[in-house]
Amino acid sequence: MENEKINAKILKKKYIPTAEFYSQIIDSLQDYSIFTLDNEFIINSWSSGAAKIFGYESDEIIGESFDIIFTEEDIKDGIPQTEIQAALSEGRATDNRWHICKDKEVFYAYGLVFPLIGVDGERLGFVKILRDLTERKKSEDAIKKYVKELEDLNAHKENVLAIVSHDLRSPLSGIIGTAEYLKTNFDRLESKKAKEMLDLVHKTAVDELNMLDNLVEWARIKYASEVFSPTKITPFTYVQKVFDSLRESASLNSITLCNKIEADTSVFADGKMILSVFQNIISNAIKHSLPGGEITVLAKIETEKVIIQIKDSGIGMSKEVVEKLFTPQMSTLSKARKDNKGAGIGLLLVKGFLEKNDGEIWVESVEGIGSSFYFSLPLEESLFKINSSDKIEFDERV
């Protein structure tokens, strides 16, 4: 009897867990997707955690290709094959990327894939482990966005203060001085001279009001987020509104306005902001176009966004001007003001509006030939955009 007890203790110490035991452990890890592939990259096992995360039950997914969990963009870029090759050459491959579920929703995950080796050293296939980090990444992304907004505000602060202190104050001083001169010498001035001075005062005052309006709009998007109201809009309609308001100005120099955007093309953006974007860029294009020129607005769809082009056949810009176009400094603002080309606050406004709508803006220009302003807007309400190069460590404690 004593020997039997001793043997039982020895057997317990040498106990080898069964496949069922390991299967139970794997299925208990509900926060992890764990599955295997054969050597043809076909899924041949599927944990309950994988079913929970991806939405596929075992009988729906087993027998499907490894590609099924990757986005169309990653499949196009050959990411599944790249992962397998890295696992073969390095023993394992890790990544942070978006994956796609049964219902076509996407989630962001840390992934690990490595070869599955049998007892005789033969390669049986591969093991893929994923952990859903979407919520963590959403929090990190929100923080990054907030930090970027703070940095952006700080970067623009000096320029805005310069505009207020110099480009608004100086012309106002001129208006006051001219008005004072007229008031003092009105009886002695010829009517033609007086009219010229009054025209100058009027034009300068209108310019100041336009700049002040732009400053208020710029501040609005930076500090008053509650007014931001994106929805489905059609750019064609907004371009037509701007063309209608500027057609008389364009006709003075025989400038043709062409709206070549498809009427049914839509974007997800704030309508008032996008109207202001078109108004600023098109009015600038008219101002810098040569007589008899043409301004054309086009759009094309690329993946999940629409690229809009506003092309003119005007005077164009040098490379140096293009590089500083959306970050004007005090010297360029003052020079632009003197040359009657605007102070640049309009383009700050445009850039701010587009960034608020998850868009970007860039420009191509050739002196003497013309300029093309391009900007992007999302087709649909934007998901969190995450840079796959931002690595997340696989933290077992979380």
Side-chain angles (χ1 to χ4, degrees), residues 83-148:
E83 275 196 13
I84 294 296
Q85 290 303 316
L88 288 172
S89 61
E90 300 174 19
R92 56 183 280 165
T94 59
D95 62 72
N96 294 303
R97 69 176 68 260
W98 290 101
H99 287 282
I100 191 163
C101 299
K102 178 183 176 181
D103 60 5
K104 304 306 178 184
E105 290 292 320
V106 293
F107 70 95
Y108 195 77
Y110 170 89
L112 167 68
V113 60
F114 55 88
L116 180 61
I117 307 300
V119 292
D120 297 323
E122 75 278 19
R123 191 178 75 223
L124 304 177
F126 300 87
V127 178
K128 176 75 173 179
I129 302 174
L130 285 166
R131 186 178 185 189
D132 186 354
L133 298 177
T134 306
E135 292 304 316
R136 183 194 295 185
K137 283 301 291 179
K138 283 182 179 180
S139 299
E140 290 182 3
D141 228 36
I143 293 170
K144 285 180 181 179
K145 184 177 180 182
Y146 179 67
V147 170
K148 184 182 181 300

Side-chain angles (χ1 to χ4, degrees), residues 161-178 204 208 211 330 334 337-338:
L161 289 176
I163 293 167
V164 173
S165 64
H166 185 277
D167 281 27
L168 283 176
R169 287 176 60 88
S170 295
L172 281 173
S173 298
I175 291 171
I176 293 169
T178 303
T204 307
E208 290 304 291
M211 178 181 281
M330 184 62 211
S334 298
R337 186 67 180 225
K338 290 176 183 177

Side-chain angles (χ1 to χ4, degrees), residues 158-293:
E158 295 302 322
N159 285 327
V160 174
L161 289 176
I163 293 167
V164 173
S165 64
H166 185 277
D167 281 27
L168 283 176
R169 287 176 60 88
S170 295
L172 281 173
S173 298
I175 291 171
I176 293 169
T178 303
E180 185 68 29
Y181 182 84
L182 282 168
K183 179 181 177 182
T184 305
N185 300 285
F186 187 78
D187 293 335
R188 298 196 299 273
L189 287 172
E190 295 180 6
S191 59
K192 182 179 179 181
K193 181 68 174 176
K195 185 177 183 306
E196 287 177 356
M197 296 183 73
L198 284 170
D199 286 343
L200 177 63
V201 168
H202 178 264
K203 182 181 182 305
T204 307
V206 169
D207 288 345
E208 290 304 291
L209 180 61
N210 288 337
M211 178 181 281
L212 186 59
D213 286 343
N214 278 335
L215 274 172
V216 170
E217 284 293 285
W218 183 86
R220 182 172 73 90
I221 64 167
K222 292 296 181 183
Y223 296 102
S225 59
E226 68 276 3
V227 302
F228 179 61
S229 182
T231 185
K232 277 278 187 180
I233 62 171
T234 53
F236 175 88
T237 305
Y238 287 80
V239 172
Q240 283 302 116
K241 286 181 181 179
V242 172
F243 277 1
D244 290 343
S245 68
L246 297 175
R247 203 172 299 281
E248 183 177 346
S249 174
S251 65
L252 293 175
N253 286 311
S254 302
I255 296 169
T256 304
L257 304 176
C258 301
N259 184 359
K260 293 187 176 181
I261 298 178
E262 295 289 337
D264 60 351
T265 299
S266 65
V267 297
F268 190 84
D270 183 290
K272 290 182 179 179
M273 292 184 178
I274 301 311
L275 183 65
S276 181
V277 168
F278 281 123
Q279 183 79 29
N280 268 283
I281 298 178
I282 294 171
S283 61
N284 278 344
I286 292 172
K287 186 184 299 183
H288 297 105
S289 285
L290 300 172

Side-chain angles (χ1 to χ4, degrees), residues 284-394:
N284 278 344
I286 292 172
K287 186 184 299 183
H288 297 105
S289 285
L290 300 172
E294 181 175 283
I295 296 170
T296 306
V297 186
L298 309 99
K300 64 178 180 178
I301 297 174
E302 286 189 359
T303 315
E304 298 177 351
K305 59 187 176 182
V306 173
I307 307 295
I308 293 173
Q309 177 187 10
I310 301 175
K311 181 182 179 181
D312 67 59
S313 53
I315 60 175
M317 295 175 283
S318 67
K319 183 179 178 182
E320 291 73 23
V321 171
V322 169
E323 288 175 350
K324 298 178 180 178
L325 203 56
F326 301 106
T327 54
Q329 301 302 313
M330 184 62 211
S331 58
T332 56
L333 288 170
S334 298
K335 184 178 187 303
R337 186 67 180 225
K338 290 176 183 177
D339 294 344
N340 194 31
K341 293 180 181 178
I345 187 64
L347 289 178
L348 282 179
L349 175 71
V350 165
K351 185 173 183 288
F353 277 168
L354 290 171
E355 289 176 348
K356 186 75 174 177
N357 285 278
D358 290 326
E360 298 178 281
I361 185 168
W362 64 98
V363 64
E364 295 174 358
S365 187
V366 179
E367 287 187 275
I369 296 179
S371 303
S372 283
F373 281 79
Y374 299 86
F375 60 88
S376 63
L377 289 169
L379 273 169
E380 306 288 345
E381 186 171 4
S382 297
L383 295 169
F384 285 88
K385 300 297 181 184
I386 309 237
N387 186 347
S388 61
S389 63
D390 294 339
K391 296 298 180 185
I392 301 177
E393 295 302 323
F394 200 54

